[in-house]
Amino acid sequence: MIFAVAALVGCSNGDVEISGRFVGLNSKMVYLEQMSASGQSLVDSVALDNDGGYRFVIKDVAPTPSLYNIIYSSDRIPLLVSRGEKIELSALGSALANYTVSGSQESELLRKFNKEYLDGQLELNRVVLGYHKADDEKKAVLAAKYNDLYRTIKRKQISFIIENKECLASVYALYQRLPGEQYLSGADSDLIYYRTVADAVSKRYPTSPYLLTLSNDIARMEARISLMNSIESRTYPELKGRDMYGNEVALSSLEGNVILVDFWSAEVGNSNAFNAELKEIYEEYEPSGFRVYQVAADTSKAMWIKAVQEQQLPWISVCDFKGEASPMLRSYNVRKLPSNFLIDRKGNIIAKDLYSDALEDKLEEIFNH
């Protein structure tokens, strides 16, 4: 109830006042920068008075906390300001390392997070500098120290996010990365933290524009994870085609075997000779685990079916009747017919365009006949 009353009183005046003192450095100017989804923009600037004092007044502040930076010297100090707040921000010496802030709950949370996070970064940098100058024995010790420090920083960051998940300070912490990092904790596990924060913030600040950023990033993560889950652990492009009975057959259905992906055309005059030769090799090595997935680059369904039946092809034969414009041919960058690719039991393409003795020699090597 106290928080609710305070919020109502604060909203009676929509302006935000930010004031304080910076001492100990030579810089004489202080800048106010607004952060938004579209980027950053300079809002105002003032010169420090003789005592190092400054004051900003922000008008027409958004209904929910908005992110601003106070820029002094080379430091950017983040603030999450709400309507009606009177914020005091001061520092002695290096602003980002030593500042104090009051009058804004969200901004005080940002200071708490930044203090530990930046201290951790500085310590990591010191370890890295020492590593480059150390001998091999000392390097091993410093490498272990670096790993321990790194894990500690990440634990504290994630703990802060979870403990303050309903605050916009947690959104800020969610996007902070150590040098060289792409993820908070991992490609898949990041989604859990983003969802947790989005759910909690939406209850406290349902109109916050930062929710849209979170929602967009969550959607991108979900799409990426869905895509990765749909891709099996193979290094060859998947193919799915229909046989002459209309059944869809996937190339991946043959996984675990040695597979020859063979591109041909019933309309090409030499197809009979190539298929007759391949049938002899197939009969010899099929019992050992050799399979053929044959893709026809034809446009005539009748001609293709007639060729498959007359030649009595014993393997999987598919066609989409798009001729050389078939996406299946593009998947393997096929530029001539016939073409083939040999895939081993682990799903690796190990050879291409093997015919006659060359194909038989390779299969002999694989199966050790």
Side-chain angles (χ1 to χ4, degrees), residues 120-182:
Q121 280 189 315
L122 289 172
E123 187 61 27
L124 280 179
N125 290 338
R126 282 193 284 268
V127 173
V128 170
L129 288 174
Y131 182 89
H132 291 309
K133 301 174 184 177
D135 56 29
D136 289 345
E137 184 177 349
K138 184 67 172 175
K139 280 183 177 179
V141 175
L142 290 174
K145 183 178 180 180
Y146 183 94
N147 290 334
D148 289 341
L149 276 170
Y150 178 87
R151 285 192 291 268
T152 298
I153 294 169
K154 300 313 292 184
R155 278 197 301 269
K156 288 182 177 179
Q157 183 180 8
I158 291 170
S159 293
F160 178 90
I161 291 167
I162 298 302
E163 290 170 7
N164 302 282
K165 59 183 181 293
E166 75 286 354
C167 300
L168 288 176
S170 69
V171 179
Y172 176 91
L174 198 61
Y175 284 92
Q176 302 311 302
R177 300 288 181 267
L178 294 173
E181 274 190 339
Q182 182 179 1

Side-chain angles (χ1 to χ4, degrees), residues 44-225:
D44 200 357
S45 63
V46 295
L48 295 178
D49 63 25
N50 293 334
D51 294 326
Y54 70 94
R55 179 176 177 270
F56 291 112
V57 175
I58 311 174
K59 301 208 179 267
D60 301 321
V61 176
T64 57
S66 301
L67 183 61
Y68 287 81
N69 287 323
I70 293 292
I71 305 173
Y72 176 66
S73 188
S74 58
D75 290 333
R76 272 182 166 80
I77 304 171
L79 296 173
L80 277 164
V81 304
S82 299
R83 283 180 174 177
E85 288 183 334
K86 290 189 174 182
I87 302 171
E88 291 188 15
L89 189 154
S90 300
L92 175 63
S94 177
L96 195 57
N98 301 301
Y99 77 92
T100 59
V101 63
S102 61
S104 168
Q105 179 195 24
E106 291 274 8
S107 298
E108 290 182 68
L109 282 173
L110 284 183
R111 187 204 64 79
K112 177 184 176 183
F113 169 76
N114 268 328
K115 175 63 177 172
E116 290 190 337
Y117 197 73
L118 294 174
D119 284 350
Q121 280 189 315
L122 289 172
E123 187 61 27
L124 280 179
N125 290 338
R126 282 193 284 268
V127 173
V128 170
L129 288 174
Y131 182 89
H132 291 309
K133 301 174 184 177
D135 56 29
D136 289 345
E137 184 177 349
K138 184 67 172 175
K139 280 183 177 179
V141 175
L142 290 174
K145 183 178 180 180
Y146 183 94
N147 290 334
D148 289 341
L149 276 170
Y150 178 87
R151 285 192 291 268
T152 298
I153 294 169
K154 300 313 292 184
R155 278 197 301 269
K156 288 182 177 179
Q157 183 180 8
I158 291 170
S159 293
F160 178 90
I161 291 167
I162 298 302
E163 290 170 7
N164 302 282
K165 59 183 181 293
E166 75 286 354
C167 300
L168 288 176
S170 69
V171 179
Y172 176 91
L174 198 61
Y175 284 92
Q176 302 311 302
R177 300 288 181 267
L178 294 173
E181 274 190 339
Q182 182 179 1
Y183 302 108
L184 172 65
S185 62
D188 291 347
S189 53
D190 274 12
L191 182 59
I192 298 170
Y193 299 115
Y194 276 73
R195 281 176 175 166
T196 298
V197 172
D199 289 345
V201 169
S202 66
K203 293 180 176 67
R204 184 173 182 183
Y205 300 118
T207 61
S208 173
Y210 302 117
L211 280 172
L212 179 59
T213 300
L214 277 174
S215 297
N216 290 338
D217 286 339
I218 288 170
R220 279 192 287 270
M221 290 180 198
E222 289 173 335
R224 183 184 65 240
I225 291 170

